[in-house]
Amino acid sequence: MRTVTINQNNFSEEVIRSDRPVLLDFWAPWCGPCRMVSPILDEIAQERTDIKVGKVNVDEQPELAGQFGIMAIPALVVMKNGKITNQAAGARPKSQILAML
């Protein structure tokens, strides 16, 4: 699977009504730690077909970032059945990201 770009228009379909857990990455292009985490998330998306990996650009989607109370990026949020089950802020190694799932 590939990562999915999440925005206000597709959030409900891609995240709330997803038939599998969703790992959301709140990021911005100017954020160095975000650029470090991005290839890890791409790798996870390729390896784990049982989850969906979505990326939310906080500069383009400030409403979504606000809904989740995102104060620092990168921020990772795991959602299952439309509810937040785990979240963390800051860059993390692959093992820690996988442990969130």
Side-chain angles (χ1 to χ4, degrees):
M1 297 283 307
R2 300 179 59 212
T3 59
V4 179
T5 300
I6 304 296
N7 57 46
Q8 282 289 117
N9 297 330
N10 70 0
F11 179 79
S12 183
E13 181 66 32
E14 295 288 351
V15 179
I16 299 298
R17 294 197 294 262
S18 177
D19 58 351
R20 55 201 159 144
V22 180
L23 173 60
L24 289 174
D25 171 30
F26 289 85
W27 70 285
W30 47 263
C31 167
C34 299
R35 290 196 304 268
M36 289 171 28
V37 170
S38 186
I40 297 169
L41 296 174
D42 293 340
E43 204 174 281
I44 291 170
Q46 291 292 327
E47 295 171 357
R48 297 280 305 265
T49 57
D50 60 322
I51 63 165
K52 182 184 293 186
V53 179
K55 295 188 177 188
V56 181
N57 182 329
V58 297
D59 288 342
E60 296 174 357
Q61 302 298 320
E63 308 85 15
L64 278 178
Q67 281 179 298
F68 283 85
I70 302 301
M71 301 300 252
I73 55 173
L76 300 173
V77 176
V78 179
M79 296 193 67
K80 294 178 184 171
N81 302 317
K83 298 197 179 350
I84 297 171
T85 59
N86 207 340
Q87 59 188 40
R92 307 214 174 282
K94 186 177 180 180
S95 60
Q96 286 183 15
I97 295 171
L98 290 171
M100 291 178 63
L101 301 169

